[in-house]
Amino acid sequence: MHNKYLVTDEWRIIENRWNPELHQGSESLFSIGNGFMGQRANFEEDYSGQSLQGSYLGGVYYPDKTRVGWWKNGYPEYFAKVLNSVNWIGIRFEINGEILDLAKAKVLDFHRELNMQEGVLYRNFKVELSSGLSFKAEVSRFISMQRKEIGAIQYSFQVEGGDAEVKVTPYLDFDVVNHDSNYDEKFWEGISQTADETSSQVKARTRKLDFEVSAATQFKLLENGTAFSANSESSSRDKYAESCLTFKAHEGSIYQLQKFAAICSSFHFGKEMLDQKAKDLAAEATELGFEALLKEQKSDWTRRWEQSDIIIDGDAEAQQGIRFNIFQLTQTYTGEDARLNIGPKGFTGEKYGGSTYWDTEAYCLPFYMASAGKEVARNLLVYRYNHLPKAIENAEKLGFTNGAALYPMVTMNGEECHNEWEITFEEIHRNGAIAYAIFNYTRYFGDETYLAEYGLEVLIGIARFWAQRFNWSEAKQQYVMLGVTGPNEYENNVNNNWYTNYLAKWCIEYAAEVYKKVEANDPSALERIKSKANFNSTAELEHWQEITAKVYLPSDAEKGIVLQQEGFLDKEQRMADDLPIEERPINQHWSWDRILRSCFIKQADVLQGFYFFEDHFSEEELRRNFEFYEPRTVHESSLSPCVHVVQAAKLNMMDKAYEMYLRTSRLDLDDYNREVHEGLHITSMAGTWLSVVEGFGGMRVKNGQLHFNPRLPEHWHSLSFKINFRNSVLQIELSNSNHKIEKLSGEPVEVLVHGETISL
Ligand code: BGC
């Protein structure tokens, strides 16, 4: 069913033999980044085998003109792509005239390792060249967490079997492509390039939007630890610069090329200063040296792990899985810049464009709230506040009025920019996730100032949208919502999707509740918001109430369940387990027509609603709906299993919970969906965190208090993690029979375990 080739280790991801057929997947798995940029685990040296070159910079994107056969009003003009950017890692090797290329040489030994504790990618290999000489290398590479523009490589190598004439060529290359480009265009045009014997620099501009990026490198060559200068020849051409270092390599000597790169983009710096900035930063890193930078990197990661680590005692695979997820989330988003967000593939691949989806609010926020703290979480919310004017424009383009806001399903700068009409467009439920995140954040931090400062304005826009999107049905004498796609993308354009109707109703109610709160707590803020939003409180609040009292929510009394959509029971009812293995995943084997007509569910839809609004339903209602919907769910979205873990654990269906847990936590490591070569599923990694903390740990925030109802898989001896809750940092250790909760810092706090209060 899936690929298992990595060694199980609690802190490291290890590949201990050369698997060329899996290399593109490994390039994703061993990706490194620092929240501002990321790099797939491409080789430094030339590689002519199957590979996806990828180096990405946060905020630097390309609006690729939408490709559709027949244009219709309301289509997004472009799809925003995370841009493949400068290849800063490149180092070409030529040994006695032969180019080092692992696709051509005979690989005798190969070991690749991502050390998650240190934030460093290591690789050792030995190859036999056609001349009969052997080439042995040890490579370390990282992107600095502390210095957002810096990447560093130490490439140690030896030649065995005789002396050899070696050419080592560190280079910078902006002549890169995006494989997912709509029109096979190149996205960069060169501005300038230079190279000399110890440095190079290339500056380029994106063809649209005029982002400018300057990359500078410096390098050092050492023989047995001592710097030496080789014969150097530098050259450059449009978008490219290299320095070719030629020397005689002696058998028995160890050589090292250290390469320090600084990449500065106009997203962060003024264009006029880019070149100088990159040059200075590269010089500063070189001056510090590889060892000092590495030390800094290790201690930065130690500090981050102190806050965010989860320890699972008794299950090494599960342990590796959760750490891998936390590691990747941390290197995708650090929360220092409210203009950045968390793309579904982060900096590890092109698909999904690196843009922001509802994934952030629906799945990622809790991880960052609990492990990165309030400021980081708040920046995720402010991101959407800053996009409110665009969300209002998006809604206007579709014919909505009076400040109704429809947030985009896919975005870089607030504009809708998805590539796919039929699924994505009608997934208007995303608007609800953005409102839910405001609720979730306030519930978690008890920070109601956010509501007056930013939250209410967003909620008014969202509530206005829903109030206009519902329509009165004479036939039903209720408000209905037609033509939507729920989270289950295997049903498009349906009427009265229960999740969307329920969420929309809740959003309007919540907006009214927050309005009253701000009215009571901060009347002057309310006046400001009312006049800015031109909010007619009497008429609008009354209209909202009229709608929410009469929303149609489809259900089936006989089965005691809610209905995913009005016609769900008309479908032929089949179970996912009865699908022949060779037809799965169905999205790769069935026609779209067949999928849409089937009862198979891609990801939690009704159950997503039960997850968000757990307290609105009894455990019995949850059980009936879970038992009905889960067996029809094929979990073909990476976002699916986590919600099911949380619910299965609550219902004490521990086998199901554990099965789903492995699927979410090792989704990429074991390549369950056979697509890891395209990049990692970053946003679903936050779902893994939810599975552990909310699922097995049973953590909830209710009435301002933290609750735990641990229910661990039987073979887990204990589960430990830290939680940053309302100015206190807590160390939680849970097992099925015991618990230990300690306050490490902060104010006094009460925690409930299985309903019993513990004062800390
Ligand atoms: C899921 C969406 C999700 C998107 C990006 C899709 O496969 O169905 O819910 O937003 O991936 O992760």
Side-chain angles (χ1 to χ4, degrees):
M1 168 168 111
H2 49 272
N3 273 327
K4 250 184 153 26
Y5 69 103
L6 302 168
V7 177
T8 305
D9 181 280
E10 296 192 348
W11 275 113
R12 297 169 304 163
I13 307 302
I14 301 170
E15 183 183 8
N16 58 9
R17 66 192 154 83
W18 175 226
N19 301 289
E21 69 294 351
L22 300 173
H23 173 61
Q24 202 176 313
S26 295
E27 287 179 326
S28 305
L29 288 163
F30 292 78
S31 291
I32 51 173
N34 65 0
F36 280 60
M37 60 173 167
Q39 170 68 51
R40 285 171 57 81
N42 308 127
F43 293 155
E44 286 81 5
E45 70 277 2
D46 287 8
Y47 182 66
S48 58
Q50 192 70 31
S51 161
L52 177 66
Q53 289 289 317
S55 153
Y56 310 103
L57 302 175
V60 179
Y61 68 97
Y62 190 83
D64 205 11
K65 192 170 155 14
T66 310
R67 212 179 149 128
V68 283
W70 208 316
W71 190 266
K72 295 191 179 58
N73 283 344
Y75 276 4
E77 306 280 325
Y78 65 90
F79 181 55
K81 303 231 144 101
V82 59
L83 262 190
N84 188 12
S85 174
V86 59
N87 173 355
W88 62 271
I89 62 168
I91 307 173
R92 189 169 309 109
F93 285 85
E94 205 179 307
I95 303 112
N96 282 350
E98 182 178 350
I99 298 279
L100 172 68
D101 175 352
L102 263 64
K104 294 185 177 146
K106 183 170 172 202
V107 180
L108 304 173
D109 209 3
F110 184 87
H111 177 93
R112 171 157 40 187
E113 177 177 319
L114 180 61
N115 187 316
M116 300 185 283
Q117 202 165 18
E118 303 177 347
V120 183
L121 171 65
Y122 296 100
R123 180 166 61 107
N124 305 334
F125 64 88
K126 185 172 173 178
V127 294
E128 190 182 298
L129 302 167
S130 62
S131 59
L133 292 175
S134 300
F135 182 90
K136 206 172 145 187
E138 271 185 36
V139 192
S140 314
R141 173 161 104 205
F142 59 88
I143 292 185
S144 169
M145 290 302 279
Q146 289 266 316
R147 299 161 194 268
K148 296 301 179 190
E149 296 78 23
I150 298 295
I153 301 168
Q154 178 165 276
Y155 203 116
S156 304
F157 57 96
Q158 271 172 278
V159 179
E160 290 177 353
D163 293 352
E165 177 83 2
V166 173
K167 283 187 176 164
V168 183
T169 311
Y171 63 88
L172 282 170
D173 187 5
F174 259 108
D175 197 15
V176 291
V177 293
N178 262 60
H179 291 254
D180 66 346
S181 140
N182 278 348
Y183 298 92
D184 289 331
E185 282 172 290
K186 289 219 170 149
F187 296 151
W188 293 100
E189 58 193 27
I191 300 177
S192 57
Q193 56 281 325
T194 57
D196 59 30
E197 63 277 18
T198 56
S199 69
S200 60
Q201 185 150 16
V202 181
K203 188 172 176 190
R205 172 192 304 121
T206 58
R207 289 235 153 92
K208 290 183 191 164
L209 298 183
D210 288 344
F211 284 109
E212 286 185 15
V213 174
S214 180
T217 63
Q218 288 208 5
F219 29 86
K220 273 188 201 164
L221 193 58
L222 299 108
E223 182 178 14
N224 299 322
T226 311
F228 79 104
S229 44
N231 180 25
S232 161
E233 223 174 283
S234 350
S235 63
S236 61
R237 54 175 190 268
D238 186 36
K239 292 185 270 195
Y240 179 91
E242 67 168 40
S243 308
C244 176
L245 312 170
T246 309
F247 58 97
K248 187 167 195 102
H250 306 289
E251 193 182 9
S253 283
I254 300 178
Y255 296 89
Q256 241 172 29
L257 184 85
Q258 296 181 338
K259 184 176 183 187
F260 304 90
I263 301 156
C264 296
S265 81
S266 57
F267 187 74
H268 294 289
F269 300 102
K271 287 182 182 168
E272 69 299 339
M273 66 194 290
L274 281 180
D275 269 342
Q276 194 57 42
K277 192 81 198 160
K279 201 171 171 174
D280 291 349
L281 289 173
E284 200 178 293
T286 313
E287 179 72 25
L288 256 153
F290 191 83
E291 286 307 320
L293 288 170
L294 182 65
K295 197 165 155 216
E296 194 179 83
Q297 175 80 344
K298 289 181 185 173
S299 64
D300 187 282
W301 271 102
T302 304
R303 189 177 54 76
R304 288 176 198 270
W305 281 115
E306 267 166 20
Q307 291 169 25
S308 60
D309 193 20
I310 294 185
I311 299 170
I312 298 172
D313 183 12
D315 190 338
E317 283 213 331
Q319 176 68 74
Q320 185 182 38
I322 186 69
R323 285 211 173 112
F324 181 64
N325 288 261
I326 295 172
F327 178 75
Q328 292 295 349
L329 284 167
T330 308
Q331 52 173 13
T332 303
Y333 184 74
T334 51
E336 287 139 289
D337 186 335
R339 296 170 306 163
L340 296 177
N341 210 278
I342 309 146
K345 297 252 180 259
F347 299 117
T348 70
E350 298 175 2
K351 202 179 165 194
Y352 293 114
S355 321
T356 310
Y357 283 63
W358 73 305
D359 305 25
T360 295
E361 284 77 16
Y363 297 91
C364 300
L365 183 67
F367 166 77
Y368 292 101
M369 288 199 296
S371 59
K374 192 162 145 189
E375 290 315 310
V376 170
R378 198 177 160 99
N379 269 349
L380 284 175
L381 264 54
V382 170
Y383 175 90
R384 297 291 192 177
Y385 173 79
N386 291 336
H387 288 177
L388 180 60
K390 293 271 188 207
I392 293 175
E393 251 174 57
N394 286 339
E396 276 168 0
K397 282 187 198 155
L398 307 181
F400 294 85
T401 56
N402 187 34
L406 174 60
Y407 277 91
M409 184 64 181
V410 185
T411 196
M412 282 288 188
N413 66 352
E415 280 164 24
E416 178 61 87
C417 64
H418 63 76
N419 214 12
E420 230 250 8
W421 173 268
E422 62 173 2
I423 299 178
T424 328
F425 193 76
E426 299 294 8
E427 273 195 79
I428 52 177
H429 66 80
R430 74 256 188 172
N431 234 19
I434 287 151
Y436 185 80
I438 297 174
F439 164 77
N440 208 357
Y441 170 88
T442 331
R443 173 174 65 175
Y444 191 85
F445 290 112
D447 173 15
E448 299 212 329
T449 60
Y450 186 81
L451 299 175
E453 213 173 330
Y454 302 110
L456 180 57
E457 265 181 71
V458 170
L459 293 171
I460 288 176
I462 290 177
R464 280 173 162 169
F465 171 79
W466 290 126
Q468 292 174 41
R469 190 60 166 75
F470 276 123
N471 70 277
W472 177 250
S473 155
E474 271 306 317
K476 288 195 166 70
Q477 290 292 301
Q478 277 181 302
Y479 281 93
V480 295
M481 201 173 318
L482 309 178
V484 308
T485 298
N488 169 28
E489 295 178 339
Y490 290 176
E491 275 190 337
N492 297 164
N493 235 320
V494 298
N495 294 338
N496 294 309
N497 166 261
W498 179 87
Y499 172 75
T500 310
N501 283 16
Y502 195 88
L503 184 64
K505 173 178 181 295
W506 173 85
C507 285
I508 301 176
E509 287 165 348
Y510 181 56
E513 184 189 317
V514 170
Y515 177 91
K516 301 253 157 64
K517 242 181 215 171
V518 176
E519 185 174 45
N521 299 340
D522 196 343
S524 69
L526 188 76
E527 284 317 307
R528 174 184 51 79
I529 296 165
K530 271 170 69 176
S531 94
K532 189 170 169 197
N534 203 9
F535 190 68
N536 179 341
S537 46
T538 320
E540 291 197 53
L541 288 173
E542 233 171 67
H543 181 53
W544 288 1
Q545 206 172 8
E546 143 81 12
I547 295 173
T548 54
K550 295 182 189 153
V551 167
Y552 173 63
L553 293 165
S555 64
D556 184 79
E558 200 181 305
K559 291 192 162 43
I561 56 168
V562 304
L563 286 183
Q564 188 169 283
Q565 47 98 351
E566 238 177 317
F568 193 78
L569 290 179
D570 295 334
K571 295 182 159 191
E572 183 194 354
Q573 299 297 319
R574 294 177 62 191
M575 301 294 118
D577 274 353
D578 297 336
L579 280 166
I581 192 79
E582 58 283 1
E583 291 181 21
R584 295 185 74 168
I586 56 171
N587 67 24
Q588 287 172 21
H589 295 96
W590 284 18
S591 72
W592 192 235
D593 171 72
R594 191 171 172 201
I595 289 177
L596 291 180
R597 285 183 288 109
S598 84
C599 73
F600 294 118
I601 300 169
K602 182 180 180 192
Q603 69 202 90
D605 192 301
V606 160
L607 294 178
Q608 184 71 38
F610 274 70
Y611 168 70
F612 278 172
F613 303 112
E614 184 184 59
D615 292 341
H616 299 191
F617 306 98
S618 68
E619 198 163 316
E620 189 41 41
E621 285 171 304
L622 171 64
R623 181 179 300 281
R624 279 199 302 268
N625 282 280
F626 189 93
E627 283 174 355
F628 182 81
Y629 286 109
E630 196 285 329
R632 290 160 173 79
T633 305
V634 284
H635 303 290
E636 287 177 14
S637 159
S638 63
L639 298 172
S640 188
C642 57
V643 170
H644 294 84
V645 177
V646 177
Q647 294 173 339
K650 177 166 179 180
L651 295 170
N652 204 13
M653 300 162 79
M654 297 312 289
D655 288 347
K656 178 54 74 186
Y658 189 66
E659 175 203 330
M660 291 285 114
Y661 172 73
L662 281 188
R663 202 164 162 154
T664 174
S665 82
R666 299 192 58 91
L667 176 86
D668 288 322
L669 288 177
D670 296 338
D671 198 10
Y672 275 85
N673 288 359
R674 298 215 169 268
E675 55 190 17
V676 73
H677 55 281
E678 293 175 349
L680 303 176
H681 297 85
I682 298 292
T683 48
S684 87
M685 295 187 174
T688 305
W689 185 90
L690 293 177
S691 309
V692 176
V693 175
E694 296 184 3
F696 300 129
M699 185 178 102
R700 302 287 188 278
V701 178
K702 288 183 189 170
N703 306 320
Q705 282 182 311
L706 209 47
H707 291 243
F708 293 94
N709 282 302
R711 208 169 255 160
L712 273 46
E714 238 164 57
H715 60 293
W716 288 17
H717 305 144
S718 67
L719 167 66
S720 328
F721 52 89
K722 284 203 190 92
I723 287 291
N724 188 326
F725 181 69
R726 300 199 176 185
N727 304 325
S728 302
V729 178
L730 307 178
Q731 170 76 47
I732 319 283
E733 199 177 318
L734 307 169
S735 75
N736 279 335
S737 54
N738 241 322
H739 55 262
K740 192 170 137 204
I741 303 194
E742 241 184 289
K743 180 162 67 65
L744 301 180
S745 63
E747 296 161 15
V749 60
E750 278 185 353
V751 172
L752 289 94
V753 182
H754 289 306
E756 190 192 307
T757 308
I758 305 173
S759 299
L760 299 165

